[in-house]
């Protein structure tokens, strides 16, 4: 549940206040103008600011201050003029002032309510997952950038207005928490697996054990990974499968950062009940609607990717696998690096399509330094643009065409046309 600061018309505040508190949110401040809101940001530390969309409570200065602190800002508009003013300064989380409180609460709780991609409009806003509900990010040994891709794919899905969970399921030790600057004393995904194994992983428990990555207009939930590799037996096949199924029902997208190894642990095959080190990886790949196979764009990385891809398609239908080649650069491959990567993939694996991500060390260094996603740390970076294009093209559905409207002529011209 979120900590809220409100700056609304008194009648509007009276209408929504009780319902927000009843939903479990904490009201940390009730303010009058945008300057009061600005002054309270560092004092009371709200996670979400809900303001009127008029100039008295919403200004570029307030929006910039919220962005700097990773605080979401939601505006309620009384008129088309107020909505246009909010859009003009760059705020897109704008609702009508008369919106039902349930719709506002759903937005405050972690995402824009949008129609389900599988159902009809009557199912809009429910917790059913879309076609690409679980996205597993896999890659061979050698640090090809699995976690970087997983974190930023989750961020772009959240920025598109979806409820997103990022899961660190690497049985060899998680990296998601340190990348995002989150606490990892209690591994969130291991807790989810234990609860799922006991049949107790409900919505309330998911909210309790998840940590939120707060970002302007793109927050998402994070289930952190194992603190140390010695705890891998907690991630059994059955538990991971059950936990991901529960998350599929709660979130629209679940992005899973998996382990690298696809070995079957032959030394344990004589005991079918013994735990498998790579069980979490196999379970995540089996549950995934889409698998990203990430490799490095250098001779060693491409060799590992090609060998690993052959093992991966023995486990997952090739139609569900997207090949992503990271850190494409001429310094490692020579002239026309993109063409060399595509030619290598086509010649040795028959892969005609692949997503190539440019080497962008400055942006990734900034993201690591700030413990933020590329969207927040380097929004104009080429790497972020390439990841956003991939998400738009492969993971998000085709937008429905807008209905065609017949242009209306002015009255005088219509009469002339009829005559």
């Amino acid at each position: 549940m979120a900590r809220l600061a409100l700056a609304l018309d008194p009648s509007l505040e009276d209408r929504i206040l009780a319902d927000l508190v009843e939903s479990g949110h904490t009201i940390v401040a009730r303010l009058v103008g945008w300057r009061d809101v600005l002054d309270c940001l560092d004092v009371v530390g709200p996670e979400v600011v809900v303001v009127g969309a008029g100039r008295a409570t919403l200004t570029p200065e307030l929006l910039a201050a919220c962005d700097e602190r990773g605080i979401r800002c939601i505006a309620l508009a009384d008129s088309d003029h107020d909505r246009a003013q909010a859009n003009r300064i760059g705020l897109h989380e704008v609702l009508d002032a008369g919106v039902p409180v349930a719709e506002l609460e759903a937005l405050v709780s972690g995402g824009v309510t949008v129609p389900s991609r599988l159902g009809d409009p009557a199912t809009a806003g429910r917790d059913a997952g879309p076609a690409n509900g679980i996205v597993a990010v896999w890659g061979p040994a050698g640090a090809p950038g699995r976690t970087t891709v997983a974190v930023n794919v989750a961020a772009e899905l959240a920025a598109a207005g979806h409820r997103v969970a990022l899961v660190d399921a690497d049985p060899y030790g998680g990296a998601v928490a340190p990348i995002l600057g989150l606490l990892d004393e209690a591994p969130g995904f291991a807790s989810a697996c234990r609860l799922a194994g006991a049949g107790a992983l409900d919505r309330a428990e998911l909210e309790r054990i998840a940590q939120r990555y707060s970002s302007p207009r793109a927050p998402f939930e994070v289930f952190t990974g194992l603190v140390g590799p010695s705890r891998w037996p907690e991630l059994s096949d059955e538990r991971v499968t059950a936990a991901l199924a529960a998350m599929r029902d709660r979130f629209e997208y679940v992005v899973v950062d998996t382990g690298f190894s696809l070995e079957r642990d032959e030394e344990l095959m004589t005991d079918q009940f013994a735990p498998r080190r790579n069980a979490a990886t196999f379970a995540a790949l089996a549950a995934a609607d889409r698998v990203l196979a990430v490799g490095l764009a250098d001779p060693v990385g491409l060799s590992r990717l090609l060998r690993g891809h052959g093992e991966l398609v023995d486990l997952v239908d090739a139609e569900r696998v997207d090949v992503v080649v990271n850190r494409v650069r001429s310094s490692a491959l020579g002239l026309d690096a993109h063409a060399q990567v595509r030619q290598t993939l086509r010649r040795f694996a028959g892969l005609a399509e692949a997503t190539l991500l440019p080497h962008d060390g400055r942006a990734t260094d900034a993201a690591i330094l700030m413990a933020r996603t590329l969207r927040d740390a380097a929004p104009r970076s080429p790497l972020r643009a390439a990841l956003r294009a991939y998400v738009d093209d492969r993971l998000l559905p085709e937008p429905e065409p807008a209905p065609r409207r017949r242009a209306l002529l002015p009255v005088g011209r219509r009469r002339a046309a009829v005559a």
Side-chain angles (χ1 to χ4, degrees):
M1 296 295 101
R3 293 166 52 84
L4 307 180
L6 307 181
L8 300 167
D9 180 86
S11 60
L12 176 57
E13 182 180 288
D14 291 341
R15 182 175 72 84
I16 67 174
L17 183 61
D19 288 330
L20 289 174
V21 173
E22 186 176 351
S23 299
H25 302 293
T26 302
I27 309 300
V28 297
R30 299 168 65 183
L31 307 160
V32 177
W34 69 270
R35 292 186 183 278
D36 291 342
V37 180
L38 191 62
D39 292 339
C40 89
L41 294 181
D42 293 325
V43 178
V44 298
E47 296 175 310
V48 182
V49 171
V50 183
V51 300
R55 293 179 182 274
T57 49
L58 179 63
T59 63
E61 292 83 358
L62 175 60
L63 188 58
C66 289
D67 288 350
E68 290 175 1
R69 295 162 175 80
I71 298 172
R72 289 179 64 203
C73 185
I74 299 173
L76 301 181
D78 282 319
S79 64
D80 290 340
H81 180 270
D82 287 349
R83 180 181 288 273
Q85 192 260 343
N87 289 333
R88 186 165 53 250
I89 66 174
L91 179 62
H92 301 291
E93 284 188 317
V94 183
L95 299 176
D96 291 331
V99 67
V101 179
E103 186 174 341
L104 172 61
E105 197 281 326
L107 179 58
V108 169
S109 295
V112 179
T113 53
V114 296
S116 169
R117 296 174 184 173
L118 293 182
D120 59 281
T123 64
R126 298 184 184 176
D127 287 339
N132 288 321
I134 297 181
V135 180
V137 181
W138 171 88
R146 290 185 307 272
T147 303
T148 297
V149 171
V151 165
N152 289 287
V153 165
E156 296 304 329
L157 289 170
H162 296 277
R163 294 185 300 276
V164 177
L166 174 61
V167 173
D168 192 335
D170 189 345
Y172 294 87
V176 169
I179 280 182
L180 294 178
L182 301 175
L183 298 176
D184 61 354
E185 286 86 353
F189 187 54
S191 300
C193 289
R194 289 195 300 272
L195 290 167
L201 186 60
D202 56 15
R203 177 170 180 166
E205 290 294 338
L206 282 171
E207 293 179 352
R208 181 181 65 84
I209 61 180
Q211 296 190 53
R212 166 162 292 200
Y213 173 79
S214 296
S215 170
R217 298 181 291 279
F220 54 89
E221 306 300 325
V222 179
F223 294 86
T224 56
L226 298 178
V227 179
S230 61
R231 299 183 63 175
W232 63 264
E234 298 177 34
L235 306 182
S236 67
D237 185 290
E238 296 79 8
R239 288 179 172 183
V240 171
T241 300
L244 292 179
M247 292 177 185
R248 184 194 288 272
D249 292 337
R250 172 69 181 92
F251 300 97
E252 293 178 293
Y253 284 91
V254 180
V255 180
V256 186
D257 183 14
T258 72
F260 67 91
S261 178
L262 299 179
E263 294 180 1
R264 284 289 187 179
D265 299 323
E266 296 293 337
E267 69 277 9
L268 297 176
M269 294 300 287
T270 55
D271 183 358
Q272 61 178 335
F273 299 106
R276 265 64 170 176
R277 180 66 176 269
N278 302 316
T281 300
F282 291 128
L285 294 175
D289 301 285
R290 179 67 51 185
V291 177
L292 279 64
V294 182
L296 275 179
D298 58 45
V300 175
L302 287 174
S303 176
R304 287 173 170 169
L305 175 62
L306 292 172
R307 293 193 184 98
H309 183 269
E311 300 176 16
L312 181 65
V313 295
D314 289 337
L315 302 170
V316 180
D317 293 337
E319 292 77 13
R320 290 193 285 139
V321 178
D322 289 340
V323 174
V324 178
V325 183
N326 193 21
R327 297 182 63 189
V328 178
R329 59 207 187 279
S330 298
S331 59
L333 296 171
L335 296 176
D336 201 353
H338 287 73
Q340 291 201 49
V341 170
R342 295 188 186 281
Q343 182 179 0
T344 299
L345 295 176
R346 187 180 299 110
R347 178 179 178 184
F348 294 102
L351 296 171
E353 296 184 3
T355 298
L356 307 188
L357 304 179
H359 177 55
D360 194 352
R362 180 175 298 179
T364 53
D365 286 349
I368 289 292
L369 179 63
M370 299 170 63
R372 308 295 289 173
T373 64
L374 288 170
R375 182 181 184 275
D376 293 334
R380 294 180 177 84
S381 72
L383 177 57
R384 189 252 167 159
L387 285 166
R388 181 178 181 180
Y390 167 78
V391 169
D392 290 343
D393 182 55
R394 300 292 295 173
L395 300 183
L396 296 176
E398 291 289 336
E400 295 184 2
R404 298 183 62 184
R405 296 181 180 179
R406 180 179 299 176
L408 296 179
L409 297 173
V411 175
R413 293 179 61 186
R414 277 185 282 169
R415 289 175 180 170
V418 172

